[in-house]
Amino acid sequence: MTDTAAVEILADVRGGVGRILVNRPRALNALTTDMVVALDQVLAEWEHTPLSAVVLASTSAKAFCAGGDIRTIREHSLDGDAEASERFFAGEYRLNARIAEYPVPFVSLIDGLCMGGGLGLSVHGGFRVVTERAVLAMPETGIGFFPDVGASYFLPRLPGAIGMYLGLTGSRIDAADALYTGLGTHFVPADGLDAVGDALAHAPGEPVDAVLSRLAGRSPVAKSRLAAVRGDLDWAFGAATLGEIEKRLRRLDTDWAAGALAALESASPQSLEITHALLARGRQRTLRECLDAELALTRTTIRTPDFLEGVRAALVDKDRSPTWQRGSLAGRSRPS
């Protein structure tokens, strides 16, 4: 573990509970290769430690983790350093698999932004606590990439066509929607998060679910916006092709459908095609198979003009005006 990683990943064991804090607040906890390696090392060492649970949280009220440090990946691509990118993605996906297979309950405290790699750190664990400030998203199609970190496994397993909708549009969801979809498992107000680790330590023989339920505030799930449009969402995004999804959204002629269509039209056409195919296949694959497929795709995708342009527009120049290689969805001929 490098000195920097030791500061950006803080870990200790108290009361039989492993506690990890992601501590890169100025970058919204965007994950670097060193941070991924440090997290993986901590969890590997703790597999031989008698623990009742592991709790992963953030030092920032703004972000749990805003994703991978994708600007650096773009720099590797421009420099022709494929090996550096491979180290990052292979290490990140190895960490995702470790979390999924961890021998003790893994509890993530999602407060603030949780996007891309942040979902990779949390959703594979058994318990995902969300606060009123939680914002979750897989926004990769907007930067010329695709939903990774095992998203081709967990998105197709969300209810109905919600996973396809979230993966293609990159739409952000709040705590209510996270609980409705199952991406979140418990709701705890932000001012109650600090009590979670100690509560688990004081009740080592009690089910984690019971401890978290005791700390929970009133669930906002009844306010889920996705629930309100669920029928239309399943019909539109359950279509077999991207072209048919577009046609059904136009036929709906609602504000929600217009927003979804606008999101598709602003995304990379290449990314939409990759994502649709990946998610369609993901339901029949294991997590390990999904991660292997995603790793293979990263090797080609991060060298494409759409990825370089998408990251430039979103994270480098921040003009939010990418010029995609094949134009927008709106500019393509529509299927009959």
Side-chain angles (χ1 to χ4, degrees), residues 3 17 31 60 76 78-79 97 118 143 155 158 166 182 186 196 240 242 260 265 297 301 305 322 334:
D3 290 343
V17 174
L31 294 171
S60 167
H76 293 330
L78 291 171
D79 293 340
I143 58 167
L155 287 180
L158 297 185
L166 295 178
H186 296 77
V196 171
L242 282 169
E265 288 174 340
L297 271 172
T301 306
R334 298 196 184 108

Side-chain angles (χ1 to χ4, degrees), residues 236-242 244-245 248 276:
F237 284 86
T241 65
L242 282 169
E244 184 61 27
I245 289 173
R248 291 184 183 185
H276 189 269

